[in-house]
Amino acid sequence: MTYAALSILAALLGRAPPRALRALGAALGLLAGSVLRIRRPLVEEAMRQAGVGDVGPAARAMYDELGRGLAELLSAAGSIAARERLLAEVALEERALLALDAALERGPVVLFASHTGNWELVAGAAARLLAARGRRLQVVAKRIHERGVDAFVRRLRSALGVQLIAPDGAYAAARRALSAGDVVGMPIDQVPDRIGHGTPVPFLGADALVDRAPATLAWRARATVLVVAASR
């Protein structure tokens, strides 16, 4: 049911003009952050611990960004034309391209990625860039608990050209991908599934459990590590 509902909404937004998407994104952000206040106290407390000044406007801006990103992804899933337009808006920095090409010449490459900006669209742009170089982008991604949402997101990622690696057996699959000349992306801002797979470190005023898997993969595969991030 969720998958069907998302597909219908995506089909409608796939025809929406950019201005309408921005308005919808702002409305979604306002609803989630200021009306329903989904995790709002936690967000503001985390911002205070990180030293963010005037957390109210900062939190509102974050929810606005999330709403806008969601509207864009639904639109991208709804039509090829919308997806092509949104991908064309992604600009990859020249220094990033130079670093990537230099790393590819040396051998395997592992991208340390984070959930910043509209990370799904950026991954799609990166996958397209690598495809032009005869390589694929394979990303380790956890499954979403809600099956309908998970199926919808997987369809979108496939349409964006991103290949997925399931967490179970991810290390072996990632090694095979690197051996085949593909680039592997791994998120570095998620808690590992098992405490034993993480290392506790101080981060922005609190203790955080950092997943060792990305670094372990890169070290054992003798791969170049590139830390990447996105911003609007």
Side-chain angles (χ1 to χ4, degrees):
M1 188 68 177
T2 305
Y3 180 86
L6 287 173
S7 297
I8 292 172
L9 183 57
L12 293 173
L13 292 182
R15 298 179 175 86
R19 182 178 299 179
L21 286 181
R22 288 193 293 270
L24 175 61
L28 289 172
L30 181 66
L31 176 64
S34 298
V35 178
L36 300 178
R37 294 182 64 81
I38 298 173
R39 305 188 73 184
R40 181 66 177 264
L42 178 63
V43 167
E44 293 190 353
E45 179 57 28
M47 286 184 169
R48 290 190 189 94
Q49 290 186 10
V52 175
D54 204 358
V55 298
R60 286 194 295 273
M62 187 213 73
Y63 280 100
D64 180 76
E65 170 65 21
L66 288 176
R68 184 174 175 182
L70 176 59
E72 289 171 341
L73 293 178
L74 287 168
S75 178
S79 78
I80 296 175
R83 185 160 61 247
E84 290 299 317
R85 176 180 59 77
L86 288 164
L87 285 174
E89 294 179 359
V90 178
L92 302 176
E93 291 187 356
E94 183 65 24
R95 61 176 178 171
L97 299 179
L98 292 174
L100 175 62
D101 285 334
L104 290 173
E105 289 183 5
R106 288 193 295 270
V109 177
V110 177
L111 303 180
F112 282 16
S114 59
H115 294 87
T116 54
N118 193 326
W119 60 88
E120 300 286 1
L121 283 180
V122 172
R128 181 164 294 187
L129 175 77
L130 289 168
R133 289 159 169 74
R135 301 170 187 263
R136 296 184 301 173
L137 174 62
Q138 300 202 41
V139 177
V140 177
K142 295 180 179 179
R143 286 190 175 275
I144 299 171
H145 294 302
E146 213 294 321
R147 290 185 178 181
V149 176
D150 183 72
F152 182 83
V153 171
R154 286 179 174 274
R155 188 189 81 184
L156 172 60
R157 288 169 173 168
S158 177
L160 290 171
V162 178
Q163 307 293 313
L164 299 182
I165 297 175
D168 294 336
Y171 178 79
R175 285 296 300 266
R176 290 193 296 270
L178 293 174
S179 297
D182 293 336
V183 173
V184 172
M186 299 186 73
I188 58 173
D189 58 354
Q190 291 182 321
V191 176
D193 293 329
R194 299 178 183 176
I195 294 178
H197 293 172
T199 298
V201 299
F203 179 72
L204 297 179
D207 289 335
L209 192 63
V210 177
D211 195 342
R212 292 195 302 269
T216 300
L217 171 68
W219 177 64
R220 292 182 176 175
R222 298 180 180 272
T224 298
V225 169
L226 296 179
V227 180
V228 296
S231 61
R232 189 171 294 280

